[in-house]
Amino acid sequence: LGFHNLILLSSSFHSSSCLPPPPLTQQLQPLQKKKNPWTPMAAGCIAGGIEATCVWPMEFIKTQLQLHSKAAGGAPLPYNGMLSGLSYYVRTTGFFSLYRGLAPTLIGSIPKAGIRFGLNAIIKDSLRDAEGKLTPGKNFVAGLGAGVSEALVIVAPVETVKTKCIELNMPFVSGFKHILATEGIGGVYQGAAATALKQGSNQGLRFMWFNEYKRIVTDDGEKKLTPLMGLFGGMSAGCFSTIGNNPFDVVKTRMQGTRASKYANTLDCFKQILSKEGVGALYAGVVPRLGRVVPGQGIIFMSFETIVQNLEKFTIFQ
């Protein structure tokens, strides 16, 4: 009996050893691959250049309206809104005068958007939970970190030169030389704290809104985000962030203007505007800003999502 059992055991072992091994996909569980940070950075650079060029005339008028202080006692502007402002400059100084100050912004917009989208993706990856999910609060923190970083590296000097070029009615090179001659290199970084405050809150609100919108319309990534969905999501994010942080934008613009010396610091600027001009002054330029930001964010988010989808077809961006 023992010999018979030994034969059966040997036969069973021989049969099982001849069975093919299970497929490799059953042996190993696939690991979730992190996205290449260069992909959102490259897509952001391209999308940033597209967006800045498309909406610059609205940014030009918005800046002029914000620079005009009701308490300054100067002559009123010959226009009071975006459409009347666009019409005025086309009639008096020509269409291309609306693009004055674009050069420093365009130079800065490409790396600025690259830093914003690239760093936002990196921070989001570090904040994900065990299931790879993010809360709205974490999305806000990721956008805030990206916004403050881009503000200190790119936005503060570029926005300062842009604002002063518009106020002085000078082209980029002449305006830059004038700032260096009259204020030194410190004049280029004027209003950096206000810029970081504005840019950080701006991007925090935008990314929080857009990522929640994207999660809902794509059913947590089960569906593809179409360009039209990206356009609408970006426009709604731009509207939300503009209404939420326009006071910071007004303070930032005043701190970067040629008359910023009358303010002791960012907080003093906020207090003076509030006490001398009222709460309404903190929402100066909100309508033209909406006219510039809403389509601008629609363009940049739509462009970014579309460009990412196309870049991921290349091995280097996978």
Side-chain angles (χ1 to χ4, degrees), residues 23-239:
L24 186 61
T25 54
Q26 294 180 10
Q27 297 180 44
L28 297 174
Q29 291 293 330
L31 296 174
Q32 187 176 0
K33 185 180 177 183
K34 282 190 175 183
K35 290 187 177 181
N36 186 342
W38 291 106
T39 305
M41 187 172 291
C45 287
I46 300 168
I50 295 170
E51 182 262 347
T53 304
C54 289
V55 299
W56 179 253
M58 283 77 82
E59 174 70 15
F60 179 88
I61 300 301
K62 181 220 74 166
T63 303
Q64 291 281 25
L65 288 169
Q66 288 182 337
L67 285 170
H68 180 66
S69 171
K70 293 179 181 178
L77 290 172
Y79 51 88
N80 57 11
M82 184 176 67
L83 292 179
S84 59
L86 291 171
S87 175
Y88 171 79
Y89 281 102
V90 170
R91 288 195 325 267
T92 57
T93 54
F95 174 77
F96 288 105
S97 67
L98 291 170
Y99 282 89
R100 185 153 299 191
L102 173 62
T105 298
L106 194 58
I107 291 168
S109 289
I110 294 174
K112 176 181 76 172
I115 291 171
R116 180 195 314 159
F117 283 98
L119 192 56
N120 179 69
I122 292 171
I123 298 173
K124 282 200 302 182
D125 279 342
S126 67
L127 293 176
R128 294 184 189 277
D129 60 19
E131 297 179 357
K133 294 182 179 180
L134 289 163
T135 63
K138 288 182 177 180
N139 275 318
F140 177 81
V141 170
L144 179 69
V148 170
S149 298
E150 69 168 315
L152 297 177
V153 175
I154 300 290
V155 181
V158 170
E159 286 282 307
T160 299
V161 174
K162 176 213 76 173
T163 301
K164 291 183 178 180
C165 282
I166 291 174
E167 191 172 9
L168 296 168
N169 197 28
M170 290 184 175
F172 171 60
V173 176
S174 300
F176 185 69
K177 288 179 179 178
H178 175 80
I179 294 168
L180 290 179
T182 57
E183 304 175 54
I185 193 65
V188 176
Y189 282 91
Q190 190 173 318
T195 303
L197 186 64
K198 175 252 182 178
Q199 203 69 13
S201 60
N202 220 7
Q203 301 310 328
L205 292 171
R206 283 177 191 168
F207 278 110
M208 179 181 70
W209 179 281
F210 185 82
N211 284 313
E212 280 301 297
Y213 165 86
K214 183 179 178 181
R215 181 185 64 79
I216 294 169
V217 298
T218 63
D219 195 16
D220 280 329
E222 294 296 322
K223 301 174 185 177
K224 185 178 179 181
L225 187 75
T226 64
L228 187 61
M229 287 178 179
L231 177 67
F232 182 75
M235 290 176 71
S236 59
C239 183

